[in-house]
């Protein structure tokens, strides 16, 4: 497919004239063609108008048709072939195997939501039948279903150019919920975005979905992204990125005449808790495994383990020694963008210069531009508590080990942490009692608690939570990975005494959609 | 029970010394004893500290114990006896039958949530079992449950001194979800609040719940309410009241270091749509029924029908004539507080003086202080669209009828409306096609669509939605009435590879709680 650098607005494709975005080879820093034309406010208005027109039609599509649409997007992405992987490697600096895996995940997410749409449980159908003879007052007939909130703005993530970008998790869950989507492409991978955007646009056409179901915009600055979030026709926002970017969108959304929900996945240092018996039995193994997780994808995962908490002593020393040895052998890796590489180097230098922090080890030095050199630091619990800046996420392969005087100090430290996506506990059976005592504090501030593993590698399923209290996300009531994500783009509507011909199929007496429904509160299986 | 005017903080009861709140007889405007002592910031801090300490313990209570606690609150409220009704009549000006009904509803809500807690579906338990042999990578074991968000601040409503106040819907759903509650009493009914607060406090003691599960604060100004919403230990807010009050709380919550959800139920004019055939067959009946709903509770319901939309012509004239005749015979009614009475009179005078509005009728004149005289106004669709101030809620028994040139003008007018709690359609079979064409626009902006009835009278069940897009509420993804309200105070937590001894009961393999659970996405009934 020949890249055009065009905006995709409804069924149209044309070159934006509001500035230009150049794709950059992450490994060399060189510009690559073609240039991508930035959207104007007129283009944005057109995309929003189309999405708004599409909303009533698209949310009314049959479940099977909507599921088929999601599967068609998945197939169209696969049909792009190796061109997608190669372009994405160039733009992101990520290796082939990682991106092939990410493509599988992207396709898998779309298919997962197709399955969710077919089953229809997300409609949350509830019927409280009328009781005309109830005393003292007759009871009306009440029926409830969930509908899409409206057109959704999705901001592509730099670190998942496929799985959290144009046709990634937010787009898949919003489309599944019945919401048209307008994507603001991440400028780190515009070519990848165009390729995937065309696959979605083609699926809209292949499946005869309403024109405004999908649009893709490029933005040479911040004007279009901000205007998108404040447009009255946009009813929710999905975002994955920095804390500053996410909170800026939250503030914009809260200041609207009609405030709307923002689902921003932002900032998490993902504490790793090493318990005494686990450390005693396998400190060196843990140190090596930890470094394996730390440097994965150049440390550019939301779930990257940036903080280790453990009780001081010879076992922790052994962990630090093993981790340091492993780290010193890890090659520097190409980072997603030159800007991310620069920010990483600067954050590492700042931590290295912190008076309360000791450098334990650094990875191999960079041999090319825009490579990130991994780093491991050590501090103590008092210093960590007294210096909140040490809790700030460093986006990249850098972590801080905090030595505590005992389990109580570990608990206190946990209580000082901000909201997190994940917390990992390394425990042996002899640690269970200590671990159990810390679980409530972890539940209060994390979305996912995992044992004897690391948070990197997010399984896409039904029981996954990729979310957590602020600032890990804007809204801890939700997840951005897994089938539960569909609920973030839904809201309930109740129908009272509505005659059968006017009821949506989901709520008709004879249950034509074959849904599991709640009758007077009791769950009734369709079959 | 002797009223003390005391704050209830955990198990303690003492007189606040930060200013004083006087109860007022709504019918006479006279102060009644005792004075209620305002909470200080120290008192607030104590209540928040207790709630925070209680949270981990309370959310870990067995489902049966928590359900029993809710039922004990209900019984303790009934045990107060007629003293509660009499005090509430004096403070609110509402008649006995209404308040007896509201007490039944309050008790019913608590019992409904007790049932919801016992069944346990709200835990949303999901299990994706490990697949150690999956290729290319083994699958981890993932389990998900919903937990309470944390301590909840509840602001009592003026217009439901029982059902949306100290032990009302927000308190019941938050306690059901596992969240301790701190109530800021509404100053319009402090005595009612103390009586109910003592019933809750006694239930905490009777059921051996953690001390901080419940506290009740009085506030002589706004300081304590604001400090409550901004306290770091408060994780969600429930509010029913004015648009200005609700948006002020939304802004405070959004500006916190950790923003939190606010569920504010604020402002709705609840459009009533009269369709041509229904008008033709029963204009006069509709006019009389409409006035019956309009003047219910002196018009002080969130679902009060403040707007009528219909096609102009002799049938609409007949409706206006019948409604006017009925309205002219309705006595003025005591309003909830002198301030509400004054605000109502002022808003009615403003509308009466509007150059584009005609007065159709007024109810009987007030014969005592603080009585509200009902009012019915008429305008046309163009004027309504050009004067957004006509869309502002008048809290009381006043409504505006908008004459439209045809069904298309009705649709355009609907598209200009802000978010609403309810929309009522009056239709005959011959109107079904026209009504169906308007449903999508109504679904997009209302929480409940009802046919051939009025929104007043909110059934508490499983399929009810009392919510809607902004400004009817702060968050249209939720409901404040009915069993679905429990979900607003929950957030998901995922457990990955967590050993059985550390798993919560809801997620153990042998399903000791007997829950309906989702296994690999498939719903499995416990029995």
């Amino acid at each position: 497919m020949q890249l055009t650098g065009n905006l995709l607005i409804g069924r149209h494709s044309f070159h934006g004239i509001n500035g230009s975005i150049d794709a950059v080879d992450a490994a060399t820093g060189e510009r690559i063609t073609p240039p991508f034309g930035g959207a104007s406010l007129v283009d944005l208005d057109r995309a929003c108008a189309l999405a708004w027109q599409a909303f009533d039609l698209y949310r009314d599509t049959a479940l099977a048709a909507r599921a088929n649409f999601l599967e068609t997007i998945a197939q169209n992405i696969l049909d792009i072939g190796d061109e997608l992987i190669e372009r994405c490697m160039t733009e992101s600096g990520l290796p082939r195997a990682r991106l092939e895996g990410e493509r599988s995940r992207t396709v898998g997410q779309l298919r997962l939501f197709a399955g969710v749409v077919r089953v229809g449980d997300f409609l949350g159908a509830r019927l409280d039948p009328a009781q005309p003879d109830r005393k003292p007052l007759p009871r009306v007939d009440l029926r409830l279903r969930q509908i899409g909130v409206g057109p959704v703005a999705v901001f592509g993530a730099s670190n998942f150019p496929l799985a959290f970008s144009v046709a990634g998790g937010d787009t898949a869950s919003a489309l599944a919920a019945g919401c048209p989507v307008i994507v603001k492409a991440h400028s780190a991978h515009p070519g990848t975005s165009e390729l995937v955007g065309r696959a979605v646009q083609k699926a809209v056409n292949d499946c005869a979905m309403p024109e405004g179901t999908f649009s893709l915009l490029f933005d040479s600055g911040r004007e279009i992204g901000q205007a998108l979030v404040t447009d009255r026709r946009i009813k929710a926002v999905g975002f994955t990125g920095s804390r500053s970017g996410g909170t800026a969108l939250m503030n914009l959304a809260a200041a609207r005449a009609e405030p709307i929900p923002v689902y921003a996945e932002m900032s998490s240092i993902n504490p790793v808790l090493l318990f005494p018996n686990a450390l005693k039995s396998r400190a060196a193994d843990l140190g090596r495994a930890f470094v394996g997780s730390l440097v994965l994808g150049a440390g550019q995962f939301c779930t990257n383990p940036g903080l280790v908490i453990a009780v001081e002593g010879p076992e922790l020393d052994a962990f630090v020694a093993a981790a340091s040895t492993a780290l010193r052998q890890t090659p520097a890796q190409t980072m997603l963008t030159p800007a991310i590489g620069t920010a990483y180097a600067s954050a590492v230098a700042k931590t290295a210069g912190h008076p309360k922090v000791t450098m334990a080890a650094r990875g191999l030095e960079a041999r090319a531009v825009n490579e990130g050199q991994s780093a491991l630091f050590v501090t103590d619990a008092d210093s960590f508590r007294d210096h909140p800046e040490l809790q700030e996420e460093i986006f990249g392969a850098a972590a801080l080990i905090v030595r505590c005087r005992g389990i109580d100090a570990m608990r206190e430290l946990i209580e000082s942490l901000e909201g997190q996506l994940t917390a990992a506990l390394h425990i042996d059976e002899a640690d269970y009692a200590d671990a159990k005592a810390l679980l409530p504090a972890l539940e209060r501030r994390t979305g996912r608690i995992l044992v004897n593993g690391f948070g990197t590698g997010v399984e896409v399923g039904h029981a996954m939570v990729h979310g957590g209290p602020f600032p890990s996300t804007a809204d801890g009531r939700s997840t951005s990975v897994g089938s539960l994500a569909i609920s973030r783009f839904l809201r309930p509507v109740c129908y009272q005494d509505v005659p059968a011909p006017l009821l949506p199929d989901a709520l008709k007496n004879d249950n034509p959609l074959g849904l599991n429904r709640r009758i007077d509160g009791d769950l009734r299986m369709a079959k």
Side-chain angles (χ1 to χ4, degrees), chain A residues 117-199:
Chain A
V117 168
R118 278 206 181 83
V119 172
D121 284 350
F122 75 100
L123 294 167
R126 295 174 167 223
L127 281 69
D128 294 348
Q131 295 175 352
D133 300 326
R134 190 182 66 171
K135 304 293 174 196
L137 290 172
R139 192 173 83 170
V140 293
D141 179 278
L142 292 174
R143 302 173 191 232
L144 179 157
R145 67 162 175 168
Q146 301 279 343
I147 71 168
V149 292
V152 172
V154 172
F155 288 76
S158 65
N159 62 340
F160 278 93
L162 299 171
F164 268 82
S165 191
V166 177
D170 284 335
T171 298
S173 54
L175 289 176
C179 302
V181 168
I182 300 176
V183 175
K184 205 289 280 175
H186 199 288
S187 53
H189 50 265
T192 305
S193 296
E194 182 186 336
L195 290 171
V196 175
R198 287 187 180 280

